[in-house]
Amino acid sequence: MTNWRAVFVGFLLATVFGIVGLVLPGIGQLAAGLIGGFVAGYMAGGGLGSGLWHGLLAGSLGGIIGGLLIGVAVGLAGLALGPAGGAISGAAGLGIFAFAVV
């Protein structure tokens, strides 16, 4: 059974460390993902498989929410170009979100 508290705490830690990790691009985000995944797995307990599952869920939650935020930002940015720009960037935003979910 999934421990959603562990997943949420892992996601929050990965997000916070990812923001702090912007000082070292690439390495900071990699460390943030690893730390968030390890914490989610450790909090969930139950062995290696359970830890891997919870770390995976924490990371994928971050990817889905990040894709949603980027998609919304692209969609809103196109509104500055008028109705046609809004329609084009709205479709692009939906595509970005769909790609992040897949």
Side-chain angles (χ1 to χ4, degrees):
M1 185 167 169
T2 302
N3 182 349
W4 288 105
R5 182 175 178 262
V7 171
F8 186 68
V9 169
F11 161 71
L12 286 178
L13 279 175
T15 302
V16 169
F17 280 114
I19 291 170
V20 172
L22 289 173
V23 175
L24 297 169
I27 296 172
Q29 280 74 37
L30 177 64
L34 287 174
I35 291 170
F38 284 144
V39 168
Y42 180 76
M43 284 182 66
L48 184 61
S50 175
L52 289 171
W53 174 250
H54 287 83
L56 173 77
L57 286 177
S60 63
L61 182 65
I64 290 171
I65 291 174
L68 176 66
L69 292 175
I70 291 172
V72 168
V74 167
L76 291 176
L79 290 176
L81 301 175
I88 292 170
S89 67
L94 284 175
I96 291 170
F97 178 64
F99 184 76
V101 169
V102 170

